[in-house]
Amino acid sequence: MLASKHLVNFKNMKKILVFLLLIPIINFGQTLKGTVKDSISNEILQLANITFLKSNSGTNSNLEGKYILNIKEHSEDSIKVSYIGYKPQYLSLKKFSDDKEYILNFNLIRDENQLEEVIVSQKKIKYNKQYKLSEKRDGDIAMFSLIGHETACLIENPKSELGRIKSLKLYVRKNKNADFIAKFRIKIYSYNKTANKPEENLLTEDLIIIPQNKTYQYVINLEDKKIPFLEDGVCIGIELVDENNVSKKGDKIGPGFRFTYGENKQLTWYNYRNKGWAKNDLYNRKSNAMSNLMVSMTVLMKN
């Protein structure tokens, strides 16, 4: 009789164990979630970059200004939130150590210090000449990048006088193995001659283009933007963006850029989600030249 009771209890324990195994494990994970907006107007900011400072990983806000960032294993890191025309915000992740979802909204403040005096002074200038500018060309190399990565190239000013940018030409390369077709965010920077790197973004708005995944030349008319062509030249930046964060890790991204050898100096830099500039180090020993982004520009000048 006693053995029979033990058998019944054992059967009950098996049922309880099976029941427990069928209960889904609830795991929120360590994530930040929220929106990025203008601090005054409360307008949503699409495609704001959110990146870790100690690693090249991060995300961007989508077309509704919303973002989700997995912060697991990043408790000793900080993030930078940035958007064109706004002052960046920084946040330490040390206090976000619990295994849960945190709701955190960012309200960015406009950056009014964007070469306003130079842009205003341009209105007094009459432009009589038009010039096409580009680096020296030798070869045509395909280069493919990843979402959030930006490539910038310096277009030097041979006359060292103030002008205005009329148009920009990009040289796009097809990626026949692409899993995801990205959009391009165009940026135009002043050039810091002393630090030898791009500096201040001359565009105060997002300029997004939708490239085709084929090999061709793409001309962007910028005359109505009234962007100055500075005495030290400007740097043209191209960032690959995924508006709704649907691309996956390991995806091959298209289209790509075209690079060329021809200059024996470094004119190209890389940046991940506005984290900071790194020099291009692709050097061709045979031709004794650096590889630089193939880009050209039409500018208007006084003489």
Side-chain angles (χ1 to χ4, degrees):
M1 186 71 177
L2 186 60
S4 177
K5 286 184 178 180
H6 286 170
L7 183 61
V8 172
N9 290 337
F10 180 71
K11 288 181 178 179
N12 289 337
M13 288 176 64
K14 285 180 67 178
K15 290 179 181 178
I16 293 171
L17 181 59
V18 171
F19 176 75
L20 290 173
L21 289 173
L22 291 175
I23 297 176
I25 298 173
I26 300 174
N27 184 7
F28 293 99
Q30 286 175 255
T31 58
L32 290 182
K33 180 179 180 181
T35 57
V36 185
K37 295 183 178 180
D38 181 292
S39 62
I40 303 299
S41 67
N42 216 31
E43 177 187 358
I44 62 169
L45 299 181
Q46 302 175 346
L47 301 179
N49 275 318
I50 303 105
T51 183
F52 297 105
L53 295 183
K54 293 182 180 180
S55 65
N56 277 354
S57 58
T59 188
N60 55 260
S61 58
N62 63 18
L63 296 181
E64 297 177 343
K66 297 177 181 179
Y67 78 93
I68 299 176
L69 182 67
N70 185 347
I71 60 173
K72 196 172 183 65
E73 299 179 357
H74 290 278
S75 60
E76 298 300 316
D77 207 339
S78 298
I79 59 173
K80 177 182 179 181
V81 183
S82 59
Y83 188 75
I84 293 173
Y86 289 78
K87 296 178 181 179
Q89 285 188 15
Y90 297 87
L91 176 72
S92 171
L93 298 177
K94 289 184 177 180
K95 62 181 180 180
F96 301 98
S97 57
D98 293 339
D99 195 24
K100 68 176 188 179
E101 183 179 82
Y102 295 90
I103 305 299
L104 189 63
N105 300 321
F106 291 95
N107 298 298
L108 301 186
I109 299 171
R110 282 192 174 274
D111 187 358
E112 304 297 340
N113 183 29
Q114 293 205 343
L115 295 179
E116 288 295 329
E117 293 181 8
V118 174
I119 295 172
V120 170
S121 68
Q122 272 205 316
K123 296 178 181 179
K124 304 174 184 178
I125 300 174
K126 291 184 179 180
Y127 301 101
N128 303 314
K129 296 288 185 179
Q130 179 173 295
Y131 298 91
K132 292 184 178 180
L133 304 174
S134 65
E135 74 276 68
K136 295 177 183 178
R137 304 286 169 80
D138 182 10
D140 187 346
I141 311 143
M143 300 287 283
F144 302 104
S145 193
L146 299 172
I147 297 297
H149 287 258
E150 179 180 1
T151 306
C153 183
L154 171 63
I155 301 294
E156 296 176 298
N157 188 338
K159 299 181 70 64
S160 297
E161 67 179 41
L162 187 66
R164 179 179 291 174
I165 299 172
K166 181 179 180 181
S167 64
L168 176 66
K169 183 183 286 187
L170 308 180
Y171 298 81
V172 183
R173 173 71 77 179
K174 178 180 180 179
N175 186 350
K176 62 182 180 180
N177 298 314
D179 302 304
F180 177 81
I181 306 303
K183 294 184 180 179
F184 291 168
R185 172 159 35 197
I186 307 301
K187 301 178 187 179
I188 301 177
Y189 299 93
S190 61
Y191 172 60
N192 186 325
K193 201 170 185 177
T194 303
N196 186 30
K197 64 179 182 179
E199 191 170 49
E200 190 173 1
N201 192 353
L202 305 179
L203 280 170
T204 57
E205 60 186 271
D206 250 352
L207 179 56
I208 306 292
I209 65 172
I210 306 173
Q212 300 175 56
N213 188 30
K214 64 179 185 178
T215 301
Y216 69 114
Q217 299 175 14
Y218 189 97
V219 177
I220 306 169
N221 189 335
L222 298 173
E223 195 164 5
D224 64 331
K225 304 290 184 185
K226 296 182 171 57
I227 306 166
F229 183 61
L230 304 177
E231 294 179 6
D232 291 329
V234 298
C235 298
I236 306 303
I238 311 172
E239 178 188 356
L240 272 66
V241 297
D242 174 1
E243 291 179 325
N244 288 301
N245 296 307
V246 296
S247 59
K248 303 180 295 297
K249 186 177 180 179
D251 277 355
K252 296 179 178 66
I253 308 299
F257 312 131
R258 292 157 68 183
F259 277 60
T260 185
Y261 294 108
E263 301 280 1
N264 60 0
K265 54 186 174 181
Q266 181 257 329
L267 301 173
T268 300
W269 296 262
Y270 299 105
N271 192 357
Y272 179 75
R273 297 193 185 277
N274 297 330
K275 185 177 154 182
W277 293 105
K279 293 180 181 179
N280 169 39
D281 57 359
L282 295 177
Y283 182 76
N284 189 326
R285 295 179 182 275
K286 186 176 180 179
S287 61
N288 191 33
M290 298 292 297
S291 70
N292 287 296
L293 179 68
M294 191 184 294
V295 63
S296 59
M297 176 185 294
T298 300
V299 300
L300 304 173
M301 304 188 84
K302 290 189 298 182
N303 300 306

